[in-house]
């Protein structure tokens, strides 16, 4: 298929490459001319055959809203916009209503996989009408993980518009809680003068235990790089989905104590250097390339937010 892709950062750039490896024609646009295939959104749209499919991978909030509004003036009836960023699901309803006035379809897609998605595939959770989803389906197939002997997983039509980002929001809330548990366990094992090699204990858990996971694999990888997580500040940002998950729990009277505690722990980390938060920061860097707060080098600045 032919597809336009707006935003060629860590995620978008790798997604363009994975789509091209699957044989799809991708026209990419980014404000950075060094990575962009075209000079403008107008040129991107002109290069696509109809019905046009344009996938947006820019930061949530104003950048996404501005991009969707611009596309509403450039696309026509039967075309489809996909928001693959980390937008809040309530924004999807606004975007879909705006585009519907011009008979342009809208699909929201939560994407998980971080910097590893190029090789491993991306987990995709998408919402929208069956008609609109069908126009994007070849891209979903190319981006998701390949089927294995265990089954064909990694992509789901979660429901109507908003369902994709709502599902991704809850996914990230769960991620917060799992990461916090690993981090607290690491700190406790390090604190007690009993275990000789904490990294090897975590490594042993990668097979045969009920707590094995990819996040555990990534924590071990981080500990292999820096066994004591030296140079990493005990500070962890939150990207928004954790807060939104807690707010949704409150709005729907669903208790989320583990997710809430993990979110609050990140807030606390910004007030005091936390050993557990060093582990959380290291895991976030491993799967998403998220910046870590580090001590400044001689004559230099600290790592950016």
């Amino acid at each position: 298929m032919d597809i336009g892709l707006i935003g060629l950062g860590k995620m978008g750039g790798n997604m363009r490459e994975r789509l091209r490896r699957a044989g799809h024609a991708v026209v990419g646009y980014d404000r950075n001319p060094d990575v962009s295939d075209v000079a403008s959104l107008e040129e991107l749209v002109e290069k696509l055959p109809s019905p046009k499919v344009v996938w947006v991978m820019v930061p949530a909030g104003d950048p996404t809203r501005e991009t969707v509004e611009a596309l509403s003036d450039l696309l026509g009836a039967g075309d489809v916009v996909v928001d693959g960023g980390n937008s809040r699901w309530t924004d999807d309803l606004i975007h879909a209503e705006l585009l519907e006035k011009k008979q342009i379809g809208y699909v929201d897609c939560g994407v998980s996989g971080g910097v590893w998605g190029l090789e491993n595939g991306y987990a995709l959770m998408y919402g929208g009408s069956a008609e609109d989803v069908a126009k994007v389906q070849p891209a979903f197939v190319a981006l998701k993980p390949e089927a294995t002997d265990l089954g064909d997983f990694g992509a789901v039509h979660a429901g109507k518009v908003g369902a994709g980002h709502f599902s991704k929001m809850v996914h990230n809330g769960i991620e917060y809680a799992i990461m916090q548990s690993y981090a607290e366990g690491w700190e406790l094992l390090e604190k007690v003068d009993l275990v000789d090699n904490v990294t090897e204990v975590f490594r042993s858990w990668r097979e045969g235990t009920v707590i094995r996971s990819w996040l555990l694999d990534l924590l071990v990888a981080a500990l292999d790089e820096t066994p004591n997580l030296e140079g990493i500040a005990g500070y962890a940002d939150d990207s928004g989905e954790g807060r939104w998950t807690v707010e949704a729990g409150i709005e729907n009277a669903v208790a989320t104590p583990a997710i809430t505690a993990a979110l609050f722990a990140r807030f606390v980390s910004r007030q005091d250097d936390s050993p557990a938060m060093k582990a959380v920061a290291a895991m976030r860097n491993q799967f998403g390339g998220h910046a870590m707060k580090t001590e400044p080098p001689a004559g230099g600045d600290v790592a950016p937010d």
Side-chain angles (χ1 to χ4, degrees):
M1 70 176 293
D2 291 85
I3 186 169
L5 183 58
I6 301 171
L8 303 171
K10 288 180 293 189
M11 290 278 282
N14 282 345
M15 290 169 67
R16 174 176 63 175
E17 177 61 22
R18 187 171 174 89
L19 285 165
R20 285 177 173 171
R21 289 181 185 180
H24 299 297
V26 184
V27 181
Y29 170 72
D30 193 274
R31 290 183 300 175
N32 178 1
D34 293 336
V35 299
S36 190
D37 300 320
V38 292
S40 65
L41 292 181
E42 290 81 1
E43 186 179 354
L44 178 146
V45 171
E46 289 173 1
K47 286 182 174 292
L48 295 174
S50 295
K52 305 176 191 291
V53 176
V54 180
W55 190 305
V56 179
M57 285 297 293
V58 301
D62 289 340
T64 295
R65 280 192 288 271
E66 292 166 3
T67 303
V68 171
E69 289 172 0
L71 289 173
S72 72
D73 293 329
L74 296 172
L75 298 174
D79 296 338
V80 177
V81 173
V82 183
D83 177 9
N86 283 329
S87 296
R88 191 166 186 168
W89 68 276
T90 49
D91 288 345
D92 294 319
L93 306 182
I94 298 171
H95 296 159
E97 183 178 2
L98 170 67
L99 295 172
E100 186 179 20
K101 294 176 182 178
K102 299 186 177 181
Q103 298 180 345
I104 302 169
Y106 181 81
V107 174
D108 63 291
C109 183
V111 181
S112 181
V115 296
W116 297 86
L118 174 59
E119 301 300 333
N120 298 343
Y122 300 88
L124 307 171
M125 297 144 269
Y126 37 93
S129 71
E131 179 183 3
D132 290 335
V133 166
K135 294 175 183 177
V136 192
Q137 194 63 42
F140 292 146
V141 172
L143 291 170
K144 76 175 188 64
E146 296 180 2
T148 68
D149 293 339
L150 297 177
D152 191 3
F153 306 116
V156 60
H157 185 182
K160 57 188 177 183
V161 167
H165 280 141
F166 192 88
S167 298
K168 177 59 162 49
M169 176 191 76
V170 174
H171 164 283
N172 281 29
I174 294 169
E175 175 189 299
Y176 276 42
I178 295 173
M179 292 172 68
Q180 186 66 26
S181 295
Y182 285 143
E184 292 173 4
W186 174 81
E187 181 177 355
L188 181 57
L189 286 167
E190 286 284 358
K191 183 75 172 181
V192 178
D193 186 18
L194 190 63
V195 176
D196 291 333
N197 193 321
V198 175
T199 300
E200 290 308 313
V201 170
F202 271 83
R203 195 188 315 279
S204 75
W205 293 346
R206 294 179 63 185
E207 292 293 343
T209 70
V210 297
I211 63 168
R212 62 187 184 273
S213 74
W214 187 44
L215 284 173
L216 177 62
D217 295 342
L218 294 176
L219 178 54
V220 172
L223 292 170
D224 282 338
E225 292 176 4
T226 49
N228 298 308
L229 302 182
E230 56 270 21
I232 300 174
Y235 179 112
D237 279 315
D238 67 286
S239 56
E241 292 93 341
R243 299 188 190 205
W244 303 339
T245 305
V246 171
E247 290 172 3
I250 293 170
E251 292 169 1
N252 293 279
V254 174
T256 57
I259 295 171
T260 302
L263 174 64
F264 285 1
R266 295 194 182 190
F267 295 164
V268 172
S269 79
R270 299 165 201 178
Q271 301 169 4
D272 188 22
D273 199 40
S274 163
M277 279 302 143
K278 292 184 179 183
V280 170
M283 279 185 278
R284 293 181 80 240
N285 180 256
Q286 285 287 325
F287 69 73
H290 300 289
M292 297 182 291
K293 296 229 179 244
T294 59
E295 294 300 316
D301 296 325
V302 296
D305 291 342

